[in-house]
Amino acid sequence: MSARAKRIGCIAFTRAGERLANVVMATLMSGALAADPDEPWSHSVTGCYGEGHESLSAWTATHFSSDDALLFVGSTGIAVRAIAAHVRAKTSDPAVLVMDEGGHWVVSLLSGHIGGANRLATLIAAAAGATPVITTATDNRGLWAVDTWATRSGLAIPNPHAIKAVSGKLLAGGTVRVWADEGVRLDGAPPAGVELTHDAREADVVVSPWAVPAASQGALRLVPRCVSVGVGCRRNTPEAALEHGWVGAAQLGGRTLDERAVVSVGSIDLKAHEPGLLEFCTRHGWTLETWPAERLRQVPGSFTASAFVSSVTGVDNVCERAALVGGGRLVVPKRAGGGTTFALAQRPVRYSFD
């Protein structure tokens, strides 16, 4: 499945800048410069500020909240003043870049790592025949940028404030230790200054779908999306009961599942329009997937069978089978209570340092 096309909004301050922007955007949109096929870009808008377009402040407000990247063609000072009121956090701000109207320089101004501005500055500079200007220390020193790696790998970052400590350790010439949980495989040779460890207690970076109590409190947490949730419930079960059942199910050996690890929530098709279940999923930002009993019966494995459930639904177990439809291993077997059943399956995931 191809990735969602990222949206870039572009505005120029002069007519010459607009002509350059159109050429650059056409090249970028063609995909000719994208080394990664899962990095498509879609063109939001190109305009020349001051020639019949909305005010710069209004344009910036709209595109800062809706687009993945903004490119200002013109003065850096104007761009800085335009975005100043909208800058919030490195985990949510879009990439912001500035290119001079002569096409000499492309400056990565904001969200260089997580937002991808550094990577995009390189692509745009190639399209314009310009020089990318990247000021982040790890990039300029050729060191591992953990937030860039995490973002491109699709890993969530629950505690982004810890990125500074990881980067600081590398910049000081120290060694950053990375620990990966069971089911998480890290391929390729670790970058300079990075090594893998089998002890979560000494890790600077922890890659796990679970909150790991044994890890250092200061460790940077990276969360892979690799857990499938299977749900069963009685008819008209309220959302509150499902919430209570979920809290109990998201526990494993003293560890709590990070909700950002959930890749799917599934049940039998009889529950496709169950109000409480739909409300529960909406509250957590999840989409409910459902399957007919015949499909669930085809899921291989040994399950906690129930004659009653079989008589009602046509399959001996709903939650465990629904959790395993997409593969993986059952890590939390059926847990029942309050008219609900939950099960969790974890799929193997691989990330590469290359």
Side-chain angles (χ1 to χ4, degrees):
M1 180 182 297
S2 60
R4 174 189 70 85
K6 298 177 182 178
R7 287 172 54 88
I8 178 170
C10 177
I11 191 165
F13 302 152
T14 65
R15 180 60 68 188
E18 183 180 18
R19 288 194 293 269
L20 173 63
N22 282 324
V23 172
V24 170
M25 288 298 102
T27 303
L28 184 65
M29 297 311 119
S30 72
L33 298 174
D36 183 353
D38 291 327
E39 192 181 35
W41 285 91
S42 68
H43 189 194
S44 174
V45 64
T46 294
C48 182
Y49 164 60
E51 296 192 9
H53 294 274
E54 61 187 323
S55 70
L56 180 60
S57 60
W59 183 92
T60 304
T62 297
H63 293 277
F64 200 94
S65 61
S66 65
D67 289 359
D68 299 288
L70 279 70
L71 173 64
F72 294 90
V73 184
S75 163
T76 301
I78 295 175
V80 169
R81 293 180 187 280
I83 67 170
H86 306 287
V87 177
R88 293 292 180 268
K90 66 189 303 176
T91 53
S92 58
D93 292 337
V96 179
L97 305 97
V98 181
M99 178 170 62
D100 66 289
E101 69 164 30
H104 300 102
W105 312 100
V106 181
V107 182
S108 172
L109 189 64
L110 185 70
S111 290
H113 288 160
I114 295 178
N118 290 356
R119 165 69 174 161
L120 188 54
T122 301
L123 292 176
I124 291 175
T131 300
V133 180
I134 297 171
T135 58
T136 44
T138 49
D139 294 88
N140 288 328
R141 296 264 294 272
L143 298 173
W144 187 48
V146 63
D147 40 357
T148 296
W149 180 77
T151 301
R152 289 182 62 81
S153 298
L155 294 158
I157 310 175
N159 59 337
H161 60 273
I163 294 171
K164 182 178 179 180
V166 173
S167 298
K169 194 169 188 178
L170 288 171
L171 289 167
T175 298
V176 166
R177 293 175 174 84
V178 180
W179 178 83
D181 209 339
E182 182 180 2
V184 179
R185 178 172 168 177
L186 301 180
D187 293 333
V194 179
E195 66 179 33
L196 302 183
T197 178
H198 297 293
D199 189 346
R201 294 171 297 181
E202 66 178 26
D204 301 290
V205 179
V206 169
V207 188
S208 173
W210 307 86
V212 183
S216 165
Q217 291 299 309
L220 174 65
R221 293 181 54 219
L222 304 180
V223 179
R225 297 184 69 242
C226 61
V227 174
S228 298
V229 180
V231 191
C233 64
R234 295 174 185 162
R235 182 180 298 177
N236 295 323
T237 296
E239 186 272 337
L242 285 153
E243 189 65 43
H244 181 76
W246 163 248
V247 170
Q251 307 293 322
L252 178 64
R255 306 195 299 172
T256 301
L257 182 74
D258 190 301
E259 290 191 9
R260 283 159 283 220
V262 175
V263 68
S264 68
V265 178
S267 189
I268 194 166
D269 58 3
L270 294 174
K271 301 300 176 183
H273 304 290
E274 188 68 37
L277 181 54
L278 291 172
E279 183 181 349
F280 166 76
C281 289
T282 299
R283 180 180 294 274
H284 289 272
W286 299 329
T287 299
L288 179 66
E289 300 178 69
T290 60
W291 299 275
E294 181 181 3
R295 175 67 183 91
L296 295 180
R297 285 196 299 269
Q298 294 171 358
V299 176
S302 178
F303 303 102
T304 309
S306 167
F308 173 75
V309 171
S310 183
S311 68
V312 174
T313 66
V315 63
D316 60 0
N317 180 293
V318 170
C319 64
E320 293 177 346
R321 290 178 178 274
L324 285 167
V325 165
R329 61 189 178 90
L330 201 63
V331 291
V332 177
K334 176 182 175 180
R335 293 191 179 177
T340 73
T341 60
F342 280 89
L344 274 60
Q346 184 173 335
R347 305 175 188 179
V349 287
R350 300 173 63 176
Y351 302 101
S352 176
F353 287 118
D354 295 334

